[in-house]
Amino acid sequence: RRLADSVILDSAGSGEWAEVISHLKPAIVSLRVTCVRSFEEDPAATVQGTGFVVDKSRGLILTNRHVAGVGPVRAVAIFDKHEEQEVEVLYRDPVHDFGFLRYDPSKLRLTRSEEVRLDPAGLKVGTEIRVVGNDAGEKLQILAGTIARVDRNVPELGSIYNDENTFYAGAGAGTSGGSSGSPVLNKEGHAIALNAAGLEGAASAYFLPLERVQYSLELLQAGQPVPRGTCLAAFLFKPFDELIHVGLLRRHEQEILSVHPNVTGMLIVDSVLCEQQILKPGDILLRLEGDVCIEFVGLEAVLDMRVGGFVQMLVCRAGVELTVQTSVADLHALIPRSFVELGLDLLHSIGYHAARRAHLPLDSGMYLARTGFVFESAGCGRASLVCTVGKTKTPTADDLCEALAHIQEDNISQSLGTSFRTSAGTGMSGQVMPRWLVHGPRCGCGLVARVAPVAGRRWVARDLPAPDVAAQAPSAGLAGTLIGGDPLVRRLQASLATLRFRTDRRFCTQANYHGCADGVGLLVDADRGLVLTDRHSAPQSLGDVEVTLAGGAATVDGDVAFIHPLHNLAVVRCDLKALAALKRENDLPLKAATFAKEATNSPRPGDELHFVGFDNQGNLFGTQVSVSAVYLPSGRDEFPMWDMPRFRERNLEIIVLADTPEDARGGVLCDRSGTVRALFAAFDWPGPNREESTEAYGISAAVFSDLVDSLQQRAGELLQVPSLDVEVASVDMSTLARGAAGSLPRAWLQAVGRKCGRQGQVARAMRVHRILPTGASDGSLRPGDVLLSIAGCTISSALDMDLALLAQLNLAKPPTQKGVRKRPAGNGNVGTSGGQQSAFKVMVKVFRDGEELCVGIAPALLGSEDDSRLIIWAGLVLRRTPRCILERCDQTVAHLAGDVFVQNLLSGSPAEARGIAPHCFFMELLGQPISTLDDVLAALQSQQEISHGSASSSSVNLQHVSTDPERSWARIRVVDLHGQEHVCALQCDSLFFPTLDLHRVEGGRWRCVQPGC
């Protein structure tokens, strides 16, 4: 008989084995299982494993429990001829490491139908075996071995889940990842065990016997439920000599040997759950229901028949025989079968395994399986327990939802007190303040419960109603203000603020990896509550901002109103209602800071100034400092590039102190009168090993003086920043003169020398280093051009560039537009990189190839560099292509790039399951070109992927769950940052990953909607 593809004599070991494996090869499948939600200790991710068909007519596949997952999953079985079939979870054993998946046999077109027969009795010491599976992810690997023992206790995995109350077999087969769920075959072609685990760093493999597997399979084939009982105790098998040391009597040993002469030991209670008050660790099982019981199969058979009732046991406890009666609980009911999503946090009941591992009661609380914004920002990690909400205990999902329903949404930050205990049993308690819900769901969509009945396979989502408690007016309490100490510190206290920013890491568009930051700001408008800070402290508007004013006197909510498109600056707007309430009820000492706005007042090397700011513990202090240098980082000292593109400072002369205050978080540099000369800001800094840190430097007040003027004096104007879309580098004049082809203009040399001399610096020039592809200067300026002047203003620093462009913008007097400008919605034009082309041109004089050239350039007018909208589809987080992405692309890629960018992937999503990489341009969906975020929704609507409603309705519900068991596929085309195109297809999942539209609304808040709902 012809052998199947890839089965050869060498791999099988012999002709006899080759025949067996060739015959059974179509029954062995590769499994790709995507856990769509974190559950117990399983993270949301895609795993690989093996399974094998045990009933070809019903389409039943046997695999490991840890492969099939413990929560909601989407799974695919890949058969012999590379046919992919969707499978669903039919049954997971609550304790033992096996489960059954089901597929539709009628859909197989190419693969021959075969099944592997189970033979539990064939598991014997000395049996020659073959483990056939997908070892290390490779399809169909054949590993040889010999059964060495069949009576070892369960291997200790060091995790929350661990098998119990069963023997395991051992062999030196050397299996590894991907082979879990493989059949352990004998020469007759029967499965005698299920490959379950291996010892890392050794060739040992552990196999699960099939007695309980056979028992479950027969019930499933008969269409009956599988009863599973537990006495809330885990037993181990111990040899007689060891049992005698803990109290077994010699006559007990003789009685057992008279019934089972070949047995070598007995069962002893190893651990019990808190609810088990009858049995104790160390109890040796003598008889069960009057019969001798010395092995696990008999123990479990009795327990499964007594679910909901009682069993009688005769045990030996410290040499004393005791007859006890203990209840038998339904093991299925102790396994979590539902979960609650609070925004992006996921909680479910503690469950049997976590309670056993941590020795906690089963009603201890809700287990935090995934931390999102609410609990992560409160400092809680995975495996924490939410025991109470306010004064209400929350042992179940229903209790948690009921407790949250009676808390006013805007006051959850004051009302939700949560006590925690880690899974290791270490006690810890605290009051958390999940301010995420104070502003509504910015990254999530409220409270959702998802339930899967024990007998069912499909999860059902249920949106829970919003809290029914009436809203209350915002309020904030006052703390004491400084009354002693440095007079300069007391004077500036009314103008300084500390900020705390938090967002969910999955939706970080400009924030650091952790999604949280603490910083310092400066009040620039006391009436409107506007605070100037750096981009480290307020990186994006999608998040939560707390502003503590007057040196700790009061804390209010805030939102990020403006992010400077070019420099490390941002503006935060305080909640006006809360601010008004504070002013009305208390005499809050708030005062806008005064600035030294002229460029001639910028700090110079050698200046003696005063630092006033906060340390990392939040203490306000002041000290005298000295300016060491003011320079533009260039060459090897330039601001480093990020591995993953994000904002990077450029074209900014930083102020470096000779004696930077130790542990300073941020603050201001001022003179003795309290006039602010510079903002001492935190800059995000990438490390060599992808770690992130912050470096503190001063930013001259002249850099942001026009921004402050616009905020203070022209409140209704559109905030715009002109830019040539170039990055410049500083070069010494002497070096430039030696390398220049031709003579530099003498008048310009003298002007630069005078300007640099007044600033206490050597003469330097600005040379074009990089040009933004598709930017304002693309095609007009070249790298290496020396900037001589802009609109007649001599250029000797990056600050001169900014001031010259701002002066021309103010002369042009664009029409006044109301409101703080946010970046306009995408229109498919990437050339302006999120801005708009100005209506005026500036004359830029450069020195190129030994000649002076005048170039007319229309500067780009940039608004706030922040996202005002995100689309989440199939787990892809889509945003408008930001400027920082184009800065990393070459000219060719930048012109090919689209205006929709894949920023991130959600774990466990269809996109992650298909191996789609983030940080690419989203070019096409379902055959339709994508130019804007609106195009994404339009493509879904036109294809009627997930439509809902009557034919007369113009709206399309993108959340409708189709009754068709086959979820729809979508073809996409993306372009990576190197310009390489990729085409792939992914399977939509509207239940667990619905299409979401996150957008910023009036007032700075974010709203999450489901299109069509």
Side-chain angles (χ1 to χ4, degrees):
R1 183 170 53 185
R2 182 179 181 273
L3 299 181
D5 294 341
S6 76
V7 178
I8 59 176
L9 296 182
D10 290 341
S11 64
S14 69
E16 183 180 4
W17 275 111
E19 289 287 339
V20 169
I21 295 171
S22 176
H23 175 68
L24 295 179
K25 181 172 175 282
I28 301 171
V29 300
S30 174
L31 295 174
R32 184 173 64 243
V33 181
T34 299
C35 301
V36 298
R37 292 291 188 273
S38 298
F39 213 83
E40 290 190 339
E41 62 184 344
D42 289 350
T46 299
V47 298
Q48 289 184 324
T50 304
F52 57 99
V53 178
V54 292
D55 189 327
K56 62 183 180 181
S57 62
R58 294 179 176 87
L60 301 186
I61 296 173
L62 174 64
T63 188
N64 287 129
R65 178 184 187 270
H66 72 263
V67 173
V70 293
V73 300
R74 301 296 192 189
V76 172
I78 304 173
F79 284 79
D80 180 33
K81 300 297 183 180
H82 302 281
E83 291 184 87
E84 289 192 10
Q85 291 289 326
E86 286 187 61
V87 296
E88 63 178 359
V89 177
L90 176 65
Y91 174 81
R92 299 183 182 103
D93 194 85
V95 169
H96 299 319
D97 195 9
F98 75 90
F100 291 97
L101 306 176
R102 182 168 61 186
Y103 69 97
D104 186 350
S106 65
K107 293 183 178 179
L108 285 179
R109 298 175 292 107
L110 305 175
T111 303
R112 172 170 49 89
S113 292
E114 288 292 345
E115 66 182 29
V116 180
R117 177 185 168 188
L118 303 184
D119 183 13
L123 184 62
K124 299 177 182 179
V125 174
T127 302
E128 186 181 358
I129 59 168
R130 294 293 185 271
V131 180
V132 184
N134 306 293
D135 192 64
E138 294 294 331
K139 188 171 175 61
L140 196 67
Q141 295 294 299
I142 303 170
L143 302 176
T146 302
I147 298 296
R149 57 180 303 188
V150 295
D151 61 349
R152 81 174 317 278
N153 284 308
V154 295
E156 183 62 42
L157 301 178
S159 59
I160 291 178
Y161 166 76
N162 210 82
D163 208 337
E164 64 179 42
N165 295 343
T166 182
F167 286 122
Y168 266 69
T175 59
S176 61
S179 64
S180 292
S182 299
V184 180
L185 301 175
N186 61 13
K187 284 189 175 181
E188 287 72 34
H190 300 161
I192 61 173
L194 178 66
N195 183 41
L199 183 62
E200 189 173 357
S204 299
Y206 303 129
F207 307 139
L208 177 69
L210 298 180
E211 287 86 357
R212 303 309 291 169
V213 176
Q214 182 78 47
Y215 159 78
S216 301
L217 175 61
E218 290 173 356
L219 289 174
L220 293 173
Q221 289 172 327
Q224 299 177 6
V226 181
R228 295 289 281 111
T230 176
C231 58
L232 304 181
F235 291 80
L236 290 179
F237 182 83
K238 296 289 185 180
F240 286 123
D241 286 349
E242 190 172 340
L243 294 175
I244 289 174
H245 295 326
V246 295
L248 183 70
L249 302 179
R250 288 291 184 183
R251 64 179 179 85
H252 294 148
E253 177 184 5
Q254 294 171 1
E255 291 173 0
I256 297 300
L257 290 175
S258 66
V259 179
H260 300 284
N262 296 323
V263 75
T264 59
M266 300 173 65
L267 301 182
I268 183 173
V269 176
D270 178 57
S271 63
V272 297
L273 270 69
C274 295
E275 288 77 4
Q276 175 55 267
Q277 301 296 317
I278 305 298
L279 295 175
K280 304 293 182 183
D283 286 352
I284 303 170
L285 181 61
L286 301 177
R287 291 182 179 272
L288 179 64
E289 291 292 308
D291 297 325
V292 173
C293 182
I294 47 88
E295 42 83 27
F296 294 110
V297 174
L299 170 67
E300 290 208 322
V302 173
L303 293 177
D304 290 348
M305 291 188 297
R306 299 287 196 277
V307 174
F310 295 86
V311 294
Q312 190 176 77
M313 295 182 177
L314 177 64
V315 299
C316 177
R317 181 179 298 169
V320 179
E321 289 187 6
L322 296 174
T323 299
V324 298
Q325 183 171 278
T326 183
S327 61
V328 180
D330 183 0
L331 200 48
H332 289 297
L334 304 182
I335 304 300
R337 287 291 185 265
S338 64
F339 62 89
V340 175
E341 290 184 291
L342 181 64
L344 287 166
D345 301 82
L346 188 144
L347 305 100
H348 58 69
S349 59
I350 183 173
Y352 178 87
H353 294 286
R356 171 178 174 259
R357 174 67 67 177
H359 197 60
L360 293 171
L362 287 164
D363 60 353
S364 294
M366 293 291 286
Y367 179 93
L368 186 61
R370 181 187 67 193
T371 56
F373 181 86
V374 177
F375 292 101
E376 189 173 66
S377 60
C380 305
R382 283 192 67 205
S384 296
L385 288 183
V386 179
C387 303
T388 60
V389 173
K391 297 182 180 180
T392 304
K393 292 185 177 181
T394 56
T396 67
D398 289 338
D399 294 325
L400 176 64
C401 296
E402 178 68 18
L404 292 176
H406 296 291
I407 293 180
Q408 200 281 316
E409 193 171 27
D410 287 344
N411 283 335
I412 286 183
S413 61
Q414 287 80 26
S415 301
L416 183 56
T418 309
S419 56
F420 300 94
R421 216 180 248 182
T422 67
S423 63
T426 303
M428 131 180 181
S429 64
Q431 298 291 318
V432 297
M433 301 172 109
R435 292 171 35 74
W436 182 252
L437 294 183
V438 170
H439 302 300
R442 295 184 178 177
C443 286
C445 43
L447 195 62
V448 180
R450 301 181 192 271
V451 182
V454 173
R457 272 77 64 189
R458 300 190 183 278
W459 292 76
V460 179
R462 177 166 57 98
D463 292 327
L464 302 178
D468 55 2
V469 183
Q472 300 177 9
S475 62
L478 277 178
T481 57
L482 290 177
I483 57 175
D486 189 340
L488 183 59
V489 174
R490 295 201 308 271
R491 186 180 310 149
L492 284 173
Q493 181 186 22
S495 303
L496 286 170
T498 57
L499 297 97
R500 186 186 184 200
F501 173 85
R502 298 172 294 168
T503 192
D504 189 273
R505 286 183 295 178
R506 284 161 280 251
F507 299 115
C508 287
T509 56
Q510 293 290 343
N512 59 40
Y513 171 77
H514 301 288
C516 60
D518 295 285
V520 176
L522 192 62
L523 194 63
V524 296
D525 191 322
D527 294 330
R528 296 165 57 214
L530 298 180
V531 177
L532 179 70
T533 185
D534 51 60
R535 292 182 59 150
H536 166 78
S537 307
Q540 61 184 60
S541 63
L542 181 52
D544 186 51
V545 182
E546 292 178 350
V547 183
T548 302
L549 300 165
T555 299
V556 297
D557 300 333
D559 66 271
V560 180
F562 183 82
I563 296 179
H564 201 288
L566 302 179
H567 298 310
N568 184 29
L569 297 166
V571 177
V572 171
R573 176 173 48 211
C574 297
D575 185 344
L576 293 181
K577 290 183 179 180
L579 202 60
L582 284 170
K583 292 180 179 179
R584 183 174 59 254
E585 300 171 5
N586 306 278
D587 184 17
L588 185 64
L590 295 182
K591 181 182 178 182
T594 57
F595 300 90
K597 299 180 180 180
E598 298 297 328
T600 55
N601 292 326
S602 296
R604 297 178 297 178
D607 282 356
E608 297 293 330
L609 299 174
H610 294 270
F611 170 85
V612 179
F614 294 86
D615 61 19
N616 286 320
Q617 286 70 45
N619 300 311
L620 183 63
F621 72 100
T623 185
Q624 190 168 348
V625 294
S626 175
V627 177
S628 171
V630 180
Y631 71 99
L632 173 66
S634 304
R636 289 180 296 180
D637 296 328
E638 70 175 359
F639 291 98
M641 291 281 188
W642 293 92
D643 289 335
M644 297 302 175
R646 54 186 277 197
F647 169 76
R648 166 182 163 272
E649 183 60 81
R650 60 230 180 253
N651 300 348
L652 175 70
E653 281 85 16
I654 58 175
I655 301 170
V656 182
L657 301 181
D659 43 6
T660 301
E662 188 176 355
D663 202 34
R665 179 190 298 176
V668 296
L669 302 178
C670 61
D671 56 27
R672 192 61 197 170
S673 67
T675 301
V676 175
R677 302 272 297 276
L679 179 70
F680 199 64
F683 291 75
D684 287 326
W685 207 267
N689 298 318
R690 294 191 175 183
E691 72 276 10
E692 297 183 19
S693 61
T694 57
E695 301 287 342
Y697 300 108
I699 301 176
S700 172
V703 174
F704 52 80
S705 60
D706 186 80
L707 174 62
V708 172
D709 285 342
S710 298
L711 294 172
Q712 292 177 336
Q713 303 172 16
R714 304 188 294 273
E717 275 195 16
L718 186 72
L719 293 182
Q720 292 181 320
V721 178
S723 173
L724 293 180
D725 290 338
V726 299
E727 180 179 349
V728 297
S730 174
V731 57
D732 289 344
M733 197 67 74
S734 57
T735 302
L736 181 64
R738 291 184 60 187
S743 299
L744 292 164
R746 175 175 293 274
W748 176 76
L749 289 171
Q750 294 174 346
V752 170
R754 288 193 298 269
K755 294 187 69 172
C756 293
R758 286 195 295 268
Q759 293 296 319
Q761 299 177 345
V762 298
R764 290 190 177 95
M766 295 295 106
R767 183 166 57 189
V768 175
H769 182 45
R770 296 184 181 94
I771 299 175
L772 178 68
T774 74
S777 298
D778 190 17
S780 299
L781 298 181
R782 300 178 185 175
D785 286 351
V786 178
L787 296 180
L788 303 179
S789 66
I790 296 177
C793 299
T794 301
I795 303 301
S796 63
S797 66
L799 178 59
D800 290 341
M801 293 173 50
D802 290 347
L803 296 180
L805 291 173
L806 283 170
Q808 293 303 303
L809 175 63
N810 292 332
L811 287 175
K813 295 181 180 180
T816 300
Q817 300 183 47
K818 298 294 182 181
V820 177
R821 181 182 188 271
K822 298 304 297 177
R823 193 168 63 181
N827 55 8
N829 183 4
V830 187
T832 57
S833 305
Q836 61 186 47
Q837 208 72 20
S838 59
F840 66 96
K841 284 191 175 183
V842 296
M843 298 306 297
V844 180
K845 183 179 290 188
V846 300
F847 187 77
R848 180 192 301 167
D849 297 332
E851 299 179 355
E852 294 183 52
L853 298 176
C854 286
V855 182
I857 299 175
L861 299 181
L862 307 177
S864 178
E865 189 172 62
D866 185 28
D867 290 283
S868 58
R869 189 183 189 190
L870 298 176
I871 297 291
I872 294 89
W873 171 74
L876 296 171
V877 181
L878 305 174
R879 63 185 294 204
R880 189 180 179 196
T881 301
R883 289 168 55 86
C884 61
I885 300 299
L886 297 181
E887 291 172 359
R888 292 291 299 274
C889 300
D890 59 26
Q891 289 283 347
T892 303
V893 176
H895 285 86
L896 289 175
D899 203 23
V900 176
F901 189 73
V902 179
Q903 177 68 25
N904 202 358
L905 302 181
L906 300 185
S907 298
S909 65
E912 186 191 56
R914 287 290 159 178
I916 299 174
H919 303 111
C920 57
F921 302 100
F922 196 72
M923 306 298 294
E924 187 178 288
L925 171 61
L926 296 165
Q928 299 189 27
I930 301 298
S931 299
T932 67
L933 293 174
D934 284 329
D935 292 341
V936 177
L937 300 182
L940 296 175
Q941 177 177 339
S942 65
Q943 293 293 325
Q944 297 182 353
E945 277 257 317
I946 30 184
S947 61
H948 178 68
S950 62
S952 59
S953 174
S954 60
S955 64
V956 174
N957 184 347
L958 300 181
Q959 313 313 316
H960 174 65
V961 181
S962 175
T963 57
D964 188 343
E966 288 190 357
R967 292 173 290 128
S968 57
W969 287 82
R971 178 182 179 273
I972 66 172
R973 180 171 63 89
V974 298
V975 174
D976 62 26
L977 296 181
H978 303 289
Q980 181 67 46
E981 288 193 5
H982 303 273
V983 176
C984 55
L986 52 83
Q987 198 170 19
C988 303
D989 188 344
S990 59
L991 176 61
F992 291 104
F993 294 93
T995 303
L996 301 177
D997 187 351
L998 279 72
H999 56 276
R1000 197 175 188 190
V1001 297
E1002 188 176 355
R1005 298 185 178 186
W1006 280 74
R1007 177 171 298 168
C1008 175
V1009 298
Q1010 298 181 359
C1013 292

